[in-house]
Amino acid sequence: MSLLDVKNLQVSYGGIQAVKGIDFSIAKGELVTLIGANGAGKTTTLRTLVGMVKRSGGSIAFDGQDTAGIASYDFVRHGLVMVPEGRGIFGKLTVEENLLMGAYIRDDKAQIQVEMERVYELFPRLKERQRQLAGTLSGGEQQMVAMGRAMLSRPKLLLLDEPSMGLAPIIVQKIFEIIQMVAAEGVTMLLVEQNAKLALEISQRGYVMESGRITMEGEAASLLSDERVRNAYLGS
Ligand code: ATP
């Protein structure tokens, strides 16, 4: 059974339909990439999955339950967590305080400490900077905080919106390594990326979205070698 099963999802802003009836699914443990041009509807899709935007039609089954029954503040508790574009970290709080925000729904203090240490093992850079204000971190370090914070909320499905956005190429490589490390921890992920090549290279499957519709889907390796994908999204 899929962890996430989306059927005929439609989303409109006023009279304009941004998502025009899409179907996709994600199995437990998978890393899946959604690619597409600017304005294709990728961010809208992620926001709808976490209840920030209301769907106008279709169904979203998460862990066997339709998410229509989940209040917008309750998605994190259900394990559906998004790291938004721009990362959404708190600049005036320290690295440590930001990470702890991820665990705000939990009260198992001892276990949170264990998992904090695990995050610091994954991102030694953050351990060195525990007390630094997050607003003064580099873009790559802020992305590490955003990922670490999301992990502390124990997601069943982590949605990443453009994690490499605005980062220098060498840091982009690092972010993709981090995504792979998080995937190796067993976290299921849906990744939205402009950097289609790197994203597909670390994913099992992918979907291509164009003007609110899914136009292609398949194994990441076959999308990478598909001529239409190469011409439109891989710059070759
Ligand atoms: P990008 O890669 O540029 O972020 P995207 O694929 O994530 O693009 P969306 O941000 O989902 O695309 O936008 C899809 C369409 O919906 C666009 O035409 C956009 O202008 C429109 N849209 C997005 N958010 C809103 C909003 N809050 N109100 C009205 N229209 C919106």
Side-chain angles (χ1 to χ4, degrees):
M1 194 186 72
S2 303
L3 178 61
L4 181 79
D5 215 345
V6 174
K7 290 212 162 66
N8 194 27
L9 179 67
Q10 297 156 50
V11 187
S12 295
Y13 296 110
I16 297 166
Q17 213 179 8
V19 176
K20 299 171 181 164
I22 61 172
D23 297 279
F24 66 98
S25 63
I26 301 176
K28 196 161 181 284
E30 264 193 318
L31 171 50
V32 175
T33 285
L34 178 59
I35 61 174
N38 291 117
K42 307 179 298 295
T43 297
T44 299
T45 301
L46 295 191
R47 288 195 176 140
T48 309
L49 291 178
V50 294
M52 285 169 65
V53 171
K54 268 210 168 5
R55 69 185 98 144
S56 41
S59 65
I60 303 171
F62 177 65
D63 223 1
Q65 182 192 353
D66 194 301
T67 62
I70 302 176
S72 53
Y73 58 82
D74 225 15
F75 278 79
V76 172
R77 202 172 57 76
H78 280 81
L80 241 173
V81 178
M82 172 159 81
V83 176
E85 196 179 312
R87 297 157 198 131
I89 70 167
F90 302 96
K92 296 267 165 65
L93 299 183
T94 65
V95 166
E96 178 129 294
E97 287 163 343
N98 266 278
L99 291 174
L100 281 171
M101 294 292 269
Y104 78 98
I105 47 163
R106 303 171 50 184
D107 55 11
D108 48 343
K109 270 218 168 91
Q111 186 56 29
I112 291 170
Q113 261 323 309
V114 171
E115 289 172 35
M116 279 286 272
E117 284 310 316
R118 181 74 192 122
V119 168
Y120 285 142
E121 271 171 42
L122 280 174
F123 311 126
R125 185 75 79 93
L126 297 186
K127 187 164 177 72
E128 291 161 19
R129 291 160 192 276
Q130 286 176 63
R131 317 249 174 268
Q132 186 172 330
L133 294 185
T136 64
L137 296 172
S138 73
E141 290 163 352
Q142 290 190 6
Q143 187 63 40
M144 292 178 202
V145 171
M147 303 268 301
R149 185 181 61 188
M151 286 176 77
L152 281 165
S153 65
R154 290 223 172 135
K156 288 184 186 149
L157 174 61
L158 187 57
L159 312 176
L160 302 177
D161 197 1
E162 307 265 5
S164 77
M165 173 80 94
L167 302 177
I170 185 161
I171 311 296
V172 170
Q173 280 290 347
K174 180 81 194 156
I175 293 301
F176 279 92
E177 281 168 27
I178 288 169
I179 295 168
Q180 282 181 294
M181 280 155 61
V182 174
E185 297 281 298
V187 179
T188 308
M189 277 182 279
L190 175 60
L191 173 60
V192 162
E193 258 294 332
Q194 291 289 341
N195 216 320
K197 184 167 185 290
L198 285 174
L200 287 172
E201 278 171 357
I202 63 167
S203 297
Q204 281 95 55
R205 289 190 305 116
Y207 292 89
V208 178
M209 203 167 173
E210 290 169 17
S211 308
R213 297 180 203 282
I214 285 175
T215 52
M216 289 170 96
E217 61 181 274
E219 300 287 323
S222 39
L223 290 176
L224 274 168
S225 58
D226 185 285
E227 197 158 341
R228 286 163 297 172
V229 175
R230 295 181 73 85
N231 289 333
Y233 303 104
L234 307 180
S236 59

